[in-house]
């Protein structure tokens, strides 16, 4: 049996990638393709527990190094228990964030950690998606979206870091896209959900059912 396709959705907070990941999963399922839609941090029971640890509480709760270990531990569990078995069964896996988020968020929060991020990835994860869609938009607009009342919640440790941080994240994602053009496609995330969904389909080379 052929291995399934592994697709990651990446971008700054509020870029709309979660909505688009869901829409893509729904449209592939409507065509009869088996799809696993998942997210990071999380996606497996153990990784969801780690999610609570890293996304809630005071912004200074963890050192950058501890946080990197927690994200990597969550990813390893997610990969072992959900992603790899699904790909081996021939299912398409769509994940809302994967290793590029660690490169960019933990690298942007503390630039000197980037080498450590890469070494840990190589040792413990060592897998890249087949395709990564990077949702790109103006951080001020994205930040305003994250502050809309329908998103109110407690998982806001990173959103609390403000606009300058979001600007660094955007630059970090675009750098990855430029460095790995074979894997990454940049999606203009401005506009309506329908417009962005059409760009996603174009980027993947899929036409609507
Ligand atoms: P989430 O609520 O999923 O945000 P979004 O809807 O924007 O994806 O929270 C994930 C947060 O965790 C987000 O702010 C990015 C951050 N993050 C990291 O800092 N490193 C990582 O490796 C991952 C996967 C996420």
């Amino acid at each position: 049996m052929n291995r399934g396709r592994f697709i990651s959705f990446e971008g700054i907070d509020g870029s709309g990638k979660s909505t688009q990941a869901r829409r893509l999963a729904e449209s592939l399922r409507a065509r009869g393709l088996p799809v696993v839609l998942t997210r990071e941090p999380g996606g497996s029971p153990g990784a969801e527990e780690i999610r609570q640890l890293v996304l809630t509480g005071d912004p200074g709760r963890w050192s950058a190094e501890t946080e990197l270990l927690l994200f990597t531990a969550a990813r390893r569990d997610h990969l072992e228990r959900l992603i790899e078995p699904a790909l081996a069964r021939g299912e398409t896996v769509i994940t809302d964030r994967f290793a590029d988020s660690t490169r960019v968020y933990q690298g942007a929060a503390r630039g000197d950690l980037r080498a450590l991020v890469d070494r840990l990835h190589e040792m413990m994860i060592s897998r890249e998606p087949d395709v990564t869609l990077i949702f790109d938009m103006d951080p001020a607009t994205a930040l305003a979206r994250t502050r809309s009342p329908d998103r109110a919640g407690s998982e806001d440790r990173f959103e609390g870091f403000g606009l300058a941080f979001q600007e660094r994240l955007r630059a970090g994602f675009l750098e990855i896209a430029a460095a790995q053009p074979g894997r990454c496609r940049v999606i203009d995330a401005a506009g309506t959900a329908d417009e962005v969904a059409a760009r996603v389909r174009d980027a993947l080379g899929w036409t609507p059912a």
Side-chain angles (χ1 to χ4, degrees):
M1 177 184 293
N2 288 338
R3 281 179 72 78
R5 212 162 170 218
F6 182 24
I7 306 169
S8 65
F9 279 50
E10 297 277 8
I12 58 175
D13 302 290
S15 58
K17 65 184 167 40
S18 308
T19 305
Q20 295 298 332
R22 205 161 46 238
R23 282 182 64 141
L24 179 66
E26 282 162 10
S27 73
L28 295 179
R29 281 180 191 138
R31 295 176 178 203
L33 267 181
V35 176
V36 172
L37 174 63
T38 184
R39 67 166 181 185
E40 289 205 349
S44 59
E48 290 289 332
E49 286 193 38
I50 297 173
R51 178 184 178 94
Q52 285 307 308
L53 295 175
V54 285
L55 295 191
T56 61
D58 188 84
R61 183 177 184 187
W62 306 108
S63 74
E65 288 81 359
T66 310
E67 187 176 287
L68 169 60
L69 289 167
L70 289 169
F71 278 117
T72 306
R75 178 161 307 125
R76 175 77 197 205
D77 193 64
H78 186 205
L79 201 60
E80 284 176 3
R81 301 192 188 228
L82 185 82
I83 297 175
E84 291 290 4
L87 294 173
R89 289 193 302 268
E91 296 175 14
T92 298
V93 175
I94 298 173
T95 184
D96 183 352
R97 297 193 182 283
F98 193 66
D100 294 321
S101 282
T102 313
R103 295 180 177 114
V104 169
Y105 278 77
Q106 279 62 53
R110 277 268 310 271
D112 56 338
L113 272 192
R114 184 52 203 273
L116 200 55
V117 169
D118 290 340
R119 276 163 60 199
L120 258 183
H121 179 79
E122 198 186 316
M123 283 190 295
M124 301 312 298
I125 308 297
S126 209
R127 153 163 291 283
E128 299 297 344
D130 300 308
V131 185
T132 295
L133 301 181
I134 293 183
F135 286 72
D136 182 55
M137 74 184 296
D138 166 45
T141 314
L143 204 60
R145 282 189 188 171
T146 67
R147 293 192 172 144
S148 76
D150 57 328
R151 279 180 60 116
S154 57
E155 292 182 339
D156 57 359
R157 273 190 65 233
F158 292 93
E159 291 167 14
F161 286 173
L163 191 58
F165 183 64
Q166 298 291 328
E167 297 275 7
R168 286 208 297 283
L169 298 176
R170 180 191 202 183
F173 279 121
L174 291 176
E175 255 171 53
I176 290 178
Q180 299 189 46
R183 169 171 70 88
C184 301
R185 324 256 150 91
V186 177
I187 303 285
D188 174 6
T192 66
D194 283 345
E195 286 164 349
V196 180
R199 291 176 200 141
V200 168
R201 285 195 302 268
D202 283 351
L204 294 172
W206 286 328
T207 46

